[in-house]
């Protein structure tokens, strides 16, 4: 019987536990999951307010990465999956105070249809000229990693970084294109540059290769759950052995001991006292800054590499409005705000349009997002003051003056990992250092994907790794 400790009860740790549960039932494994907060799920948190499904953390996951939907089906939640209303998909970018729709055919930042981009006021003539020239970009294999901003600027100029690349990435990573790594965040773009030179030509060539039958149902861009993302973490938790889940308990230390690990935990309700237990293997499913603390004595080098992965904080603000507001808002999924616009808001999503089952017909549900320095600058404000900042900016951008029917503020301290330039090299060093320790696996959003599907995959791989330590389960990057 192998004894395994899982530290962290977010979606990564829960998935690792769910993967081990089958082996526990077969009598091969015993596991204990320690979670410092009173609830499992980590940043997956949903509230139901006035018939609206209000997400505090993630509101969905990208459908192309199938690990999340596959897990939902394995949990019996297949009939609860909902797809984004892609027929109504329209995203605006704020430019000089006006909301400009992203032109049709723009794939991330690559124009694949000449006319809509050529006619769009989103870009200046200078950038449009750069887009035409980009088609002649020669193939180029970069020797070293670089920032996303530097790659995009080389192809399309600085305006494309400001108006598209940076706002799009801020919405996913809460970070800036100037510091995010191309190899870790946009590996497909590095590959397109190597093989085709031009992103435009590479995208068009890829399209031609995929013959699409007219009867083939198209997959929605985003997937979520009818009752919200917490439905996923609650369902996993309900499938686990109740005595294996230990909440309100903070892991304080892990020490190699007799080929395994001694884990010291501190129950939150007690002011003193450290309990310790011996395990054959440990899965650290916590942000890398928390993993670094736990490993600071047993492996200072690994700890230093883990703590060098930066995390940013974020704030989401959900506002519910009445039917009149719903009718007055522009169609589409919402808008992104380039930093050059000088606002605190980075994005706002019109959730009543993005998904079915999010708000009754007579309600509008808006979710606003601050991250990175915008979140840090706002952090100390009271919830009421943050709501006032958001309402002021929504008034400037949308002309929205109405009082919300409800408003909620959710703060997430150091929760979004930033894959800086050189991230993949750092992961190689982390992997070498990890292998020098007894049976230890790392999971979570700090390594090879920040989204929910990637975290699910990391939890599954971590469980496989501790069950079969000889197998190498180093994950590949897929974005
Ligand atoms: C505001 C926001 C919006 C997002 N939106 C999306 C989205 O729409 N789509 C998407 O795919 N992804 C989104 N993400 C990213 C994604 O949700 C997260 O990357 C993912 O859920 C992280 O899961 P995790 O289990 O790795 O970490 P977490 O959810 O951070 O869980 C880690 C857990 O470990 C616990 N813990 C930490 N230290 C200890 C310790 N020493 N002992 C015991 N327990 C400990 C914490 O309490 C926490 O519960 C979003 C993230 C945020 C913050």
């Amino acid at each position: 019987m192998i004894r395994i400790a899982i530290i962290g009860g977010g979606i990564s740790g829960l998935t690792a536990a769910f993967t081990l549960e089958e082996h526990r039932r077969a009598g091969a494994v015993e596991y204990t999951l320690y979670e410092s907060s009173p609830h499992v799920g980590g940043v997956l948190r949903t509230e139901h307010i006035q018939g609206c499904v209000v997400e505090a953390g993630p509101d969905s996951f990208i459908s192309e990465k199938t690990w999340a939907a596959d897990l939902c089906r394995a949990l019996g939640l297949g009939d609860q999956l909902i797809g984004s209303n892609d027929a109504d998909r329209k995203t605006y970018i704020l430019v000089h105070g006006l909301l400009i729709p992203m032109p049709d055919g723009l794939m991330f930042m690559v124009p694949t249809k000449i006319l809509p981009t050529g006619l769009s006021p989103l870009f200046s003539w200078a950038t449009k000229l750069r887009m035409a020239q980009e088609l002649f970009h020669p193939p180029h294999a970069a020797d070293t990693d670089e920032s996303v901003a530097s790659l995009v600027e080389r192809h399309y100029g600085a305006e494309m970084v400001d108006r598209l690349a940076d706002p799009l990435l801020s919405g996913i990573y809460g970070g800036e294109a100037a510091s995010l790594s191309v190899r870790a965040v946009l590996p497909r773009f590095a590959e397109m540059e190597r093989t085709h030179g031009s992103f435009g030509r590479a995208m068009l060539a890829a399209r031609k290769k995929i013959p699409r039958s007219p009867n083939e149902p198209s997959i929605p861009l985003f997937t979520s759950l009818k009752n919200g993302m917490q439905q996923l973490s609650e369902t996993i938790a309900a499938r686990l052995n109740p005595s294996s889940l230990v909440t309100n308990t903070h892991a304080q230390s892990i020490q190699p001991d007799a080929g395994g690990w001694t884990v010291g935990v501190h129950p939150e309700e007690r002011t003193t006292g450290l309990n310790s237990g011996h395990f054959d293997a440990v899965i650290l499913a916590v942000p890398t800054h928390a993993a670094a603390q736990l490993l600071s004595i047993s492996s200072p080098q690994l700890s230093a590499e883990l703590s060098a992965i930066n995390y940013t904080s974020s704030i989401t603000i959900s506002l519910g409005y009445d039917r009149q507001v719903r009718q007055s808002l522009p169609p589409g999924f919402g808008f992104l705000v380039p930093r050059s616009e000088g606002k605190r808001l980075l994005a706002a999503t019109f959730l009543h349009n993005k998904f079915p089952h999010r708000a009754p017909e007579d309600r509008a549900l808006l979710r606003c997002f601050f991250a990175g320095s915008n979140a840090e600058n706002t952090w100390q404000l009271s919830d009421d003051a943050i709501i006032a900042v958001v309402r002021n900016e929504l008034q400037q951008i949308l002309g929205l003056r109405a009082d919300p029917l409800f408003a909620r503020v959710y703060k997430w301290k150091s929760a979004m990992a930033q894959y800086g330039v050189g991230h993949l090299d750092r992961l190689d060093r982390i992997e070498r250092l990890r292998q020098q320790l007894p049976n230890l696996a790392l999971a979570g959003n700090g390594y090879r994907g920040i989204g929910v599907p990637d975290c699910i995959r990391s939890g599954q791989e971590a469980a496989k790794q501790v069950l079969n330590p000889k197998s190498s389960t180093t994950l590949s990057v897929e974005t």
Side-chain angles (χ1 to χ4, degrees):
M1 168 88 72
I2 314 172
R3 293 196 71 218
I4 300 166
I6 303 167
I7 317 248
I11 190 64
S12 305
L14 282 175
T15 307
F18 182 64
T19 310
L20 295 178
E21 176 61 20
E22 183 191 332
H23 299 267
R24 186 196 68 81
R25 288 188 189 168
V29 159
E30 239 178 44
Y31 67 87
T32 305
L33 183 153
Y34 294 109
E35 164 56 45
S36 32
S37 75
H39 309 284
V40 291
V43 302
L44 271 63
R45 243 177 72 198
T46 310
E47 279 195 79
H48 297 267
I49 308 169
Q50 297 186 15
C52 296
V53 177
V54 176
E55 297 287 10
D59 72 346
S60 58
F61 46 83
I62 189 151
S63 312
E64 200 190 0
K65 297 188 173 190
T66 55
W67 306 292
D70 290 346
L71 175 63
C72 290
R73 287 187 201 102
L75 289 162
L77 291 173
D79 62 348
Q80 297 295 302
L81 292 170
I82 51 172
S84 47
N85 294 322
D86 290 352
D88 300 333
R89 192 165 126 226
K90 192 179 220 186
T91 304
Y92 304 85
I93 310 285
L94 190 71
V95 179
H96 305 311
L98 294 176
L99 290 178
I100 311 284
M102 276 170 67
D104 189 28
L106 208 57
M107 298 180 77
F108 188 57
M109 64 202 158
V110 182
T112 58
K113 290 184 182 170
I114 295 171
L115 208 60
T117 309
L119 296 175
S120 169
L122 182 57
F123 305 109
S124 65
W125 284 109
T127 299
K128 287 174 189 171
L129 187 64
R130 288 290 299 263
M131 288 173 178
Q133 288 168 338
E134 201 273 344
L135 293 168
F136 303 98
H137 203 289
H140 165 75
D143 300 331
T144 53
D145 197 7
E146 65 180 318
S147 74
V148 171
S150 132
L151 175 88
V152 175
E153 192 165 345
R154 263 194 298 112
H155 282 253
Y156 297 115
E159 188 179 85
M160 183 66 99
V161 177
D162 174 56
R163 293 200 182 159
L164 270 188
D166 194 59
L168 285 168
L169 289 171
S170 296
I172 302 170
Y173 290 90
E176 298 184 18
S179 51
L180 292 170
S181 147
V182 166
R183 288 189 179 173
V185 170
L186 295 179
R188 281 184 201 167
F189 280 76
E191 183 57 14
M192 284 194 286
E193 188 177 59
R194 191 183 68 76
T195 53
H196 288 79
S198 156
F199 300 147
R201 275 190 291 122
M203 289 267 188
L204 292 171
R207 247 198 198 175
K208 273 191 203 146
K209 270 195 198 159
I210 311 167
R212 200 158 271 170
S213 118
N215 302 329
E216 203 181 309
S218 60
I219 301 163
L221 193 55
F222 302 103
T223 302
S224 192
L225 287 152
K226 272 184 197 159
N227 287 316
M229 295 294 287
Q230 195 174 314
Q231 195 177 0
L232 172 57
S233 48
E234 276 174 358
T235 308
I236 302 176
R239 299 297 164 84
L240 302 179
N241 177 34
S243 63
S244 299
L245 279 188
V246 185
T247 53
N248 276 318
T249 299
H250 186 76
Q252 203 124 305
S253 60
I254 62 166
Q255 282 294 331
D257 177 22
W261 293 89
T262 294
V263 176
V265 297
H266 182 83
E268 295 288 341
E269 65 268 23
R270 280 208 257 132
T271 47
T272 54
L274 192 70
N275 296 341
S276 62
H278 185 267
F279 294 89
D280 300 300
V282 170
I283 297 174
L284 292 183
V286 291
T288 57
H289 46 84
Q293 270 180 9
L294 287 162
L295 288 162
S296 60
I297 295 173
S298 45
S299 178
Q301 257 185 305
L302 177 53
S303 172
E305 291 288 2
L306 290 168
S307 62
I309 298 171
N310 286 328
Y311 275 66
T312 57
S313 299
S314 52
I315 306 178
T316 64
I317 304 100
S318 289
L319 301 154
Y321 290 94
D322 62 13
R323 184 193 297 272
Q324 256 182 323
V325 169
R326 183 168 176 148
Q327 285 166 352
S328 71
L329 289 171
F333 283 7
F335 61 85
L336 301 170
V337 185
R339 277 167 225 278
S340 57
E341 292 291 310
K343 302 267 186 271
R344 290 214 215 185
L345 257 184
L346 286 180
T349 310
F350 307 153
L351 278 162
H352 53 277
N353 287 341
K354 187 172 171 185
F355 286 105
H357 304 284
R358 281 294 169 264
E361 284 296 302
D362 59 352
R363 291 282 182 274
L365 180 61
L366 266 67
R367 180 169 125 124
C368 303
F369 185 62
F370 294 161
S373 55
N374 291 20
E376 298 294 348
N377 296 338
T378 314
W379 201 263
Q380 300 305 336
L381 300 181
S382 67
D383 285 4
D384 285 347
I386 293 174
I387 292 163
V389 170
V390 169
R391 288 190 60 195
N392 182 34
E393 296 203 350
L394 290 177
Q395 185 178 333
Q396 291 167 23
I397 298 167
L398 295 169
L400 178 55
R401 287 191 168 77
D403 288 332
L405 300 172
F406 64 83
R408 293 286 186 285
V409 176
Y410 305 96
K411 291 179 172 174
W412 299 109
K413 187 79 189 158
S414 303
M416 296 181 107
Q418 303 300 296
Y419 300 164
V421 175
H423 182 74
L424 296 189
D425 292 337
R426 169 160 289 115
L427 292 190
D428 287 344
R429 295 194 293 277
I430 287 175
E431 180 55 17
R432 280 197 294 275
L433 292 162
R434 184 196 66 78
Q435 284 176 5
Q436 292 168 16
L437 293 166
N439 207 355
L440 173 78
L442 302 169
N445 69 9
Y447 305 101
R448 298 183 189 267
I450 188 178
V452 169
D454 295 292
C455 291
I456 286 171
R457 183 175 64 143
S458 82
Q460 290 166 340
E461 295 295 342
K464 285 181 201 150
Q465 203 172 57
V466 293
L467 287 170
N468 185 10
K470 299 239 157 52
S471 75
S472 168
T473 54
T474 307
L475 301 174
S476 58
V477 173
E478 286 188 41
T479 59

